[in-house]
Amino acid sequence: MRRTRSDTQKTYEVSAGLFITFEGPDGSGKSTQIRLLGEYLMGKGLDVIYTREPGGTRIGEKIREIILDPHSTEMDPLTEAMLYASSRAQHVAEVIRPALAAGCVVLCDRYVDSSVAYQGYGRGIGGIVAEVNAIATGDVTPDLTIFLDIGPEACFDRIGKHGGDRIESEDISYHQAVYEGYLELAEKYPGRFKRVDGSGGVRVVQNAVRKIADEFIEDFAGRNKT
Ligand code: TYD
């Protein structure tokens, strides 16, 4: 992470990359919030890249098509979990690890926590998801995770307007289990997994996101001075 502009209040001098992931139910507004945070951090002179899962690479986008195809109704939960993990392995190797090594701030729309919530809790296949993902990602774990907390009913209303892919089309009980998975992750990892109330307007949510990111980056920079 490099901060080069002199018109900012503070100067961070660190060489390490910073990996920030965004999590939340479908329809929680992650994409908008990531874009706005990226613009904000770039405005501070940081080198920022955006990426997303499943996908983020040419191969990953092909895997994404298979996973999210509404016609793939017969897909076994383990197949599903391993496809997400395969897409992730490629993403880590091709995009995330090199960007972190180059000192970038990597903003990633979903990562391993999505698999834990959607496959582990949603599909009920539990701990095997973490095992598969440990193989897929190695030592590339998020420094900070921003969880947009908004209940499944509210998200359902938002998604309903757009139709949906195979996962989005699951019923409310599936999305409720996913949501409960996220709440358990928040309890398990209070240090990196930060909850933001996602029910407010875009600006209100973004202000809360920026506050968390600012505090985290300042602390991170203090710990990683060159
Ligand atoms: P996408 O259109 O990217 O949804 P969103 O904008 O909400 O992120 O579709 C990704 C879908 O895949 C979404 O429903 C969540 C699901 N998913 C998993 O089930 N497991 C995973 O590991 C990931 C990354 C996503």
Side-chain angles (χ1 to χ4, degrees), residues 26 30 64 68 84 88 110 114-115 118-119 165 167:
D26 295 272
K30 283 181 291 82
R64 177 187 171 92
L68 297 181
Y84 277 113
R88 186 163 295 130
R110 300 193 181 281
S114 278
S115 282
Y118 282 78
Q119 281 68 55
D165 57 47
I167 304 285

Side-chain angles (χ1 to χ4, degrees), residues 113-157:
D113 296 314
S114 278
S115 282
V116 171
Y118 282 78
Q119 281 68 55
Y121 286 82
R123 301 292 188 209
I125 58 171
I128 197 164
V129 173
E131 286 175 40
V132 168
N133 277 280
I135 297 168
T137 60
D139 59 352
V140 180
T141 52
D143 297 296
L144 172 66
T145 298
I146 295 177
F147 167 53
L148 295 188
D149 185 354
I150 173 161
E153 290 88 3
C155 291
F156 239 57
D157 291 345

